[in-house]
Amino acid sequence: MTQSLPHPRPRLKLGTRGSPLALWQAHAVRDALVAAHDWAPEAVVIEIIRTTGDAITDRALAEAGGKGLFTKEIEEALLDGRIDLAVHSAKDMATRLPDGLHIGGYLPRADVRDALILRAGGALDDLPQGARVGTASLRREAQLRRLRPDLRVSLLRGNVQTRLGKVDHGEFDGTLLALAGLSRLGMAERASAVLSTDAFLPAVGQGAVAIESRVGDAATEELLAAIVDTATGIAVATERAFLTELDGSCRTPIAGLAQVEGDRVAFRGLLLAPDGSEVVEVTCAGPVGEAVRLGAEAGRDVKARAPRRLLAG
């Protein structure tokens, strides 16, 4: 009788939410680690962790506690040592992380733009007067109202498939989703139009997969260093510094995009009124070594110029 060999212990455990997009992201991190270190696929185990944000589908995140609702339970597992790394959508991460945790890096960033999905197809201008568009993002709502104040914008929560289904079934005339998410799920063809960043600025961190780790876990950090993308890290650090200065949460419509070219980083940020009627904009550029300072200064500049009512959220 042949004796079976014991199953090898995993080298790393990754924590993630259980949505199809979150699982795509976790598998992308796993595959990158496996390839970089020439491991067998079973060397990296994916642990699905249900978060508070997953359980809340009937109201806006701002009413339930804001950013962090999609990361809290995963971060607790990371702090407890139940997992070695946490994988998140960068735009879901709070600006202030729990003590003992930090962002270890990002996978190379995907397309940052927003996609418009319309039941009848076409572009934003093709929507009839008073059409109903669903979104859970105050940033998307504010920019949408800025471009088309006639539209009726209503809350639409749920994963990508849920939101698309509600458009398909006629509950909404359209919705907005990150093009990166659609592409990762093999659904890029569902985009009726892709909105330029000039007209429609993305969320801070949009298109980036963030990998969170424990501070001081040198062994895991060394493994992670083989897969993280430097340019994405610089860009998102700039954007998050901007957001931190504005104390950005799900209660305030804020958009920001940094782009790295060579040894320079360029940034553009917006703070909007919820109805899109007012906007404070900032642009800046400088060396990549000063990226975080540039983002923070941009945030302070907007904060100094913004009417108090725009920061009251």
Side-chain angles (χ1 to χ4, degrees), residues 114 139 143 196-203 254-257 268-270:
D114 283 296
R139 172 194 62 87
Q143 292 190 95
S196 76
T197 57
D198 290 339
F200 214 92
L201 205 61
I254 297 170
L257 176 63
R268 177 176 170 232
L270 299 177

Side-chain angles (χ1 to χ4, degrees), residues 5 8 18 27 45 51 66 76 97 105 119 130 134 149 161 185 193 208 217 252 260 263 283 295-296:
L5 295 174
H27 280 89
V45 172
T51 69
E76 289 171 351
L97 303 182
R119 186 157 51 94
Q161 290 82 354
L185 293 171
D217 186 353
T252 315
V260 175
D263 62 355
T283 59

Side-chain angles (χ1 to χ4, degrees), residues 164-176:
L164 292 176
K166 291 192 174 183
V167 172
D168 292 341
H169 294 133
E171 295 179 51
F172 295 89
D173 296 300
T175 189
L176 291 156

Side-chain angles (χ1 to χ4, degrees), residues 29-40:
V29 172
R30 184 198 67 181
D31 293 348
L33 285 165
V34 164
H37 300 293
D38 196 23
W39 292 340

Side-chain angles (χ1 to χ4, degrees), residues 56-291:
I56 299 170
T57 59
D58 61 344
R59 60 191 188 278
L61 292 180
E63 299 174 13
K67 277 186 181 286
L69 292 175
F70 287 121
T71 61
K72 180 176 179 290
E73 287 79 4
I74 302 173
E75 289 173 332
E76 289 171 351
L78 186 55
L79 286 167
D80 291 347
R82 286 176 279 148
I83 58 175
D84 302 296
L85 294 168
V87 182
H88 311 285
S89 292
K91 66 180 181 178
D92 287 342
M93 301 192 73
T95 52
R96 292 175 177 83
L97 303 182
D99 290 342
L101 300 181
H102 69 159
I103 298 174
Y106 305 86
L107 294 184
R109 196 174 200 173
D111 197 314
V112 301
R113 294 175 295 172
D114 283 296
L116 182 67
I117 297 94
L118 302 182
R119 186 157 51 94
L124 184 58
D125 289 343
D126 296 321
L127 274 171
Q129 290 278 317
R132 189 181 184 206
V133 178
T135 181
S137 163
L138 292 185
R139 172 194 62 87
R140 287 180 177 136
E141 179 175 355
Q143 292 190 95
L144 192 60
R145 290 183 184 277
R146 184 183 180 199
L147 295 172
R148 288 287 306 270
D150 61 288
L151 297 176
R152 294 179 297 144
V153 185
S154 304
L155 178 68
L156 175 53
R157 288 285 317 280
N159 63 32
V160 170
Q161 290 82 354
T162 297
R163 299 185 204 191
L164 292 176
K166 291 192 174 183
V167 172
D168 292 341
H169 294 133
E171 295 179 51
F172 295 89
D173 296 300
T175 189
L176 291 156
L177 293 167
L179 180 60
L182 284 174
S183 298
R184 286 164 175 162
L185 293 171
M187 306 173 78
E189 76 284 351
R190 291 300 309 269
S192 307
V194 178
L195 304 176
S196 76
T197 57
D198 290 339
F200 214 92
L201 205 61
V204 163
Q206 186 155 306
V209 176
I211 309 166
E212 192 176 17
S213 60
R214 288 183 292 271
V215 174
D217 186 353
T220 302
E221 294 285 343
E222 185 176 351
L223 295 171
L224 194 56
I227 70 167
V228 298
D229 184 68
T230 300
T232 299
I234 292 166
V236 181
T238 309
E239 296 166 16
R240 285 176 59 81
F242 172 72
L243 194 64
T244 298
E245 287 297 326
L246 292 172
D247 196 26
S249 70
C250 289
R251 299 177 177 84
T252 315
I254 297 170
L257 176 63
Q259 295 174 294
V260 175
E261 290 190 11
D263 62 355
R264 303 279 295 177
V265 59
F267 175 77
R268 177 176 170 232
L270 299 177
L271 173 72
L272 301 109
D275 64 359
S277 60
E278 296 177 271
V279 61
V280 183
E281 180 174 354
V282 64
T283 59
C284 60
V288 295
E290 299 179 17

